mmCIF file of all heavy atoms in Angstrom:
data_model
loop_
_atom_site.group_PDB
_atom_site.id
_atom_site.type_symbol
_atom_site.label_atom_id
_atom_site.label_comp_id
_atom_site.label_asym_id
_atom_site.label_seq_id
_atom_site.Cartn_x
_atom_site.Cartn_y
_atom_site.Cartn_z
ATOM 1 N N GLY A 166 -19.931 106.438 40.191
ATOM 2 C CA GLY A 166 -20.599 106.057 38.966
ATOM 3 C C GLY A 166 -21.699 107.036 38.649
ATOM 4 O O GLY A 166 -21.966 107.968 39.431
ATOM 5 N N PRO A 167 -22.443 106.821 37.614
ATOM 6 C CA PRO A 167 -23.550 107.723 37.265
ATOM 7 C C PRO A 167 -24.733 107.448 38.201
ATOM 8 O O PRO A 167 -24.892 106.331 38.700
ATOM 9 C CB PRO A 167 -23.898 107.318 35.838
ATOM 10 C CG PRO A 167 -23.456 105.909 35.716
ATOM 11 C CD PRO A 167 -22.222 105.797 36.573
ATOM 12 N N PRO A 168 -25.546 108.460 38.450
ATOM 13 C CA PRO A 168 -26.759 108.210 39.316
ATOM 14 C C PRO A 168 -27.708 107.208 38.650
ATOM 15 O O PRO A 168 -27.775 107.141 37.406
ATOM 16 C CB PRO A 168 -27.410 109.603 39.420
ATOM 17 C CG PRO A 168 -26.397 110.571 38.898
ATOM 18 C CD PRO A 168 -25.475 109.819 38.004
ATOM 19 N N SER A 169 -28.417 106.466 39.492
ATOM 20 C CA SER A 169 -29.442 105.570 38.976
ATOM 21 C C SER A 169 -30.625 106.392 38.552
ATOM 22 O O SER A 169 -30.688 107.620 38.772
ATOM 23 C CB SER A 169 -29.880 104.605 40.098
ATOM 24 O OG SER A 169 -30.617 105.313 41.081
ATOM 25 N N GLU A 170 -31.568 105.741 37.929
ATOM 26 C CA GLU A 170 -32.875 106.398 37.661
ATOM 27 C C GLU A 170 -33.509 106.676 39.028
ATOM 28 O O GLU A 170 -33.282 105.965 39.979
ATOM 29 C CB GLU A 170 -33.774 105.483 36.846
ATOM 30 C CG GLU A 170 -33.279 105.250 35.434
ATOM 31 C CD GLU A 170 -33.309 106.525 34.609
ATOM 32 O OE1 GLU A 170 -34.255 107.282 34.702
ATOM 33 O OE2 GLU A 170 -32.322 106.748 33.895
ATOM 34 N N PRO A 171 -34.300 107.757 39.143
ATOM 35 C CA PRO A 171 -34.947 108.055 40.430
ATOM 36 C C PRO A 171 -36.108 107.127 40.695
ATOM 37 O O PRO A 171 -36.629 106.440 39.764
ATOM 38 C CB PRO A 171 -35.419 109.504 40.274
ATOM 39 C CG PRO A 171 -35.452 109.744 38.792
ATOM 40 C CD PRO A 171 -34.479 108.785 38.155
ATOM 41 N N THR A 172 -36.531 107.056 41.925
ATOM 42 C CA THR A 172 -37.665 106.218 42.327
ATOM 43 C C THR A 172 -38.964 106.648 41.671
ATOM 44 O O THR A 172 -39.856 105.850 41.530
ATOM 45 C CB THR A 172 -37.892 106.313 43.834
ATOM 46 O OG1 THR A 172 -38.109 107.690 44.187
ATOM 47 C CG2 THR A 172 -36.739 105.731 44.642
ATOM 48 N N GLY A 173 -39.070 107.899 41.308
ATOM 49 C CA GLY A 173 -40.331 108.478 40.939
ATOM 50 C C GLY A 173 -40.952 109.084 42.199
ATOM 51 O O GLY A 173 -40.461 108.883 43.269
ATOM 52 N N PRO A 174 -42.027 109.806 42.029
ATOM 53 C CA PRO A 174 -42.640 110.504 43.191
ATOM 54 C C PRO A 174 -43.096 109.577 44.294
ATOM 55 O O PRO A 174 -43.740 108.588 44.018
ATOM 56 C CB PRO A 174 -43.789 111.278 42.579
ATOM 57 C CG PRO A 174 -43.562 111.284 41.127
ATOM 58 C CD PRO A 174 -42.740 110.074 40.806
ATOM 59 N N LEU A 175 -42.728 109.911 45.499
ATOM 60 C CA LEU A 175 -43.209 109.211 46.702
ATOM 61 C C LEU A 175 -43.846 110.258 47.633
ATOM 62 O O LEU A 175 -43.292 111.355 47.732
ATOM 63 C CB LEU A 175 -42.063 108.508 47.434
ATOM 64 C CG LEU A 175 -41.246 107.485 46.638
ATOM 65 C CD1 LEU A 175 -40.065 107.043 47.481
ATOM 66 C CD2 LEU A 175 -42.103 106.318 46.275
ATOM 67 N N LEU A 176 -44.944 109.903 48.221
ATOM 68 C CA LEU A 176 -45.602 110.858 49.115
ATOM 69 C C LEU A 176 -45.454 110.320 50.526
ATOM 70 O O LEU A 176 -45.860 109.186 50.832
ATOM 71 C CB LEU A 176 -47.086 110.985 48.744
ATOM 72 C CG LEU A 176 -47.893 111.992 49.516
ATOM 73 C CD1 LEU A 176 -47.363 113.389 49.323
ATOM 74 C CD2 LEU A 176 -49.367 111.921 49.118
ATOM 75 N N THR A 177 -44.899 111.146 51.461
ATOM 76 C CA THR A 177 -44.798 110.735 52.843
ATOM 77 C C THR A 177 -46.249 110.764 53.430
ATOM 78 O O THR A 177 -47.097 111.530 53.016
ATOM 79 C CB THR A 177 -43.904 111.680 53.653
ATOM 80 O OG1 THR A 177 -44.381 113.006 53.530
ATOM 81 C CG2 THR A 177 -42.471 111.578 53.160
#
Side-chain angles (χ1 to χ4, degrees):
S169 71
E170 292 295 317
T172 57
L175 302 173
L176 184 63
T177 57

